[in-house]
């Protein structure tokens, strides 16, 4: 079953604290829906820490739930790209 979640209903236009998104994502993890559509309409900012938390959450659900993001602003998309690049850099480090 598919469920659409409007992030602005929970966060207004900014997703700022790691704790707030962690609690929200925990609720989504426990939802019985196998497909979640996350609507980023009206979200104009996400902090780096929230983007990091979101990416870790999405990776942890790989194969369990299908996550689809829609209506993401360029600013939010760029923050996700920045965090993703950091993951790639860290994975290429050798000791």
């Amino acid at each position: 079953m598919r469920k659409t979640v409007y992030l602005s209903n929970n966060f207004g236009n900014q997703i700022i604290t790691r704790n707030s998104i962690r609690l929200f994502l925990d609720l989504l993890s426990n939802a019985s829906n196998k497909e979640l559509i996350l609507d980023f309409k009206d979200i104009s900012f996400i902090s780096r820490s929230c983007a990091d938390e979101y990416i870790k959450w999405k990776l942890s659900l790989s194969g369990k739930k299908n996550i689809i993001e829609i209506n993401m602003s360029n600013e939010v998309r760029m923050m996700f790209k920045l965090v993703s690049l950091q993951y790639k850099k860290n994975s290429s480090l050798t000791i």
Side-chain angles (χ1 to χ4, degrees):
M1 181 183 252
R2 172 187 278 195
K3 178 178 181 152
T4 300
V5 179
Y6 301 92
L7 279 80
S8 62
N9 289 349
N10 294 279
F11 297 103
N13 67 347
Q14 298 182 13
I15 306 173
I16 298 174
T17 67
R18 185 181 293 268
N19 192 46
S20 67
I21 196 154
R22 185 180 299 135
L23 293 172
F24 177 75
L25 296 174
D26 284 347
L27 290 174
L28 292 181
S29 294
N30 294 324
S32 61
N33 308 82
K34 296 295 180 191
E35 184 170 271
L36 295 171
I37 300 171
L38 300 181
D39 192 334
F40 281 80
K41 183 178 183 218
D42 298 326
I43 300 293
S44 59
F45 175 80
I46 186 168
S47 70
R48 192 221 167 277
S49 63
C50 289
D52 177 65
E53 198 67 31
Y54 179 87
I55 289 172
K56 287 190 293 188
W57 170 78
K58 189 173 176 182
L59 290 171
S60 76
L61 292 178
S62 180
K64 298 175 189 170
K65 290 187 188 276
N66 185 28
I67 308 299
I68 301 166
E69 295 106 354
I70 62 172
N71 298 320
M72 193 179 291
S73 71
N74 287 336
E75 291 81 6
V76 171
R77 189 176 316 282
M78 291 306 293
M79 183 59 76
F80 281 121
K81 284 183 181 180
L82 175 73
V83 172
S84 294
L85 284 173
Q86 190 63 43
Y87 276 106
K88 289 177 185 174
K89 285 181 184 178
N90 286 341
S91 68
S92 66
L93 292 176
T94 57
I95 298 174

